[in-house]
Amino acid sequence: MGLYNVEIFRRSEYICSTQLGELEYKEDYLSPEKNKIKTGQQAVTAKEGDYIRVRGTDIEHIGIVTQYDDTKTERVITYESFLTIFDVEIFCDPSELENTTLENLIAKKIREYFIENEDSLQNIPGLTVEVLSGAVS
């Protein structure tokens, strides 16, 4: 049985953390699933929209908190993959692909919408994009 560290962040601010002895997690890139972490009565708080990072010796999951339930007997954090933050409609003129690869265009759009946006609330602190490959058709 492994030990897992659960950390909660609000934008770039650390909120709290705890350790768990067991973890159930499902991940599907095509159809993201919501996961739940039950912390018992450990001092953990979270709000919808907070970031969550779960690390163990063999895993690291990063997500967005979608729900937080605090009852008399346990605290439950529901979250989904961080990738769901990029599930937005973005206009792209096909002519933008004439002089670049699809991978570079996607990186450019992520920078425009989530790193260098004029609306600072849309920017994700600490987010970086690195293109490691590209295919030209």
Side-chain angles (χ1 to χ4, degrees):
M1 175 169 73
L3 192 60
Y4 301 93
N5 191 43
V6 178
E7 301 169 309
I8 305 294
F9 298 89
R10 193 160 299 134
R11 300 293 276 171
S12 58
E13 174 189 2
Y14 169 80
I15 302 298
C16 62
S17 64
T18 190
Q19 292 184 337
L20 301 175
E22 63 180 68
L23 176 72
E24 289 183 31
Y25 183 82
K26 294 180 185 175
E27 186 171 28
D28 184 341
Y29 292 111
L30 298 177
S31 179
E33 297 192 34
K34 292 187 177 181
N35 291 286
K36 291 185 179 188
I37 291 181
K38 297 178 181 180
T39 65
Q41 279 298 354
Q42 297 178 40
V44 176
T45 60
K47 291 183 179 179
E48 184 177 329
D50 285 351
Y51 301 145
I52 184 169
R53 180 169 63 177
V54 182
R55 290 187 298 171
T57 55
D58 57 345
I59 64 153
E60 181 172 13
H61 301 288
I62 301 171
I64 306 291
V65 175
T66 58
Q67 185 175 341
Y68 175 73
D69 297 307
D70 186 359
T71 66
K72 289 183 179 181
T73 58
E74 68 182 357
R75 294 179 172 144
V76 180
I77 302 168
T78 305
Y79 68 100
E80 56 192 9
S81 171
F82 186 77
L83 293 176
T84 60
I85 205 163
F86 299 115
D87 188 11
V88 295
E89 290 187 27
I90 295 176
F91 173 76
C92 181
D93 187 335
S95 67
E96 291 183 75
L97 273 171
E98 289 177 1
N99 298 318
T100 190
T101 64
L102 180 59
E103 293 84 354
N104 283 321
L105 181 61
I106 291 170
K108 176 185 172 196
K109 294 297 181 181
I110 290 172
R111 283 187 201 98
E112 287 176 3
Y113 283 79
F114 300 105
I115 298 174
E116 301 164 355
N117 196 320
E118 290 179 13
D119 181 354
S120 61
L121 292 177
Q122 294 294 331
N123 292 329
I124 301 171
L127 180 65
T128 60
V129 179
E130 181 180 355
V131 178
L132 300 176
S133 67
V136 179
S137 57

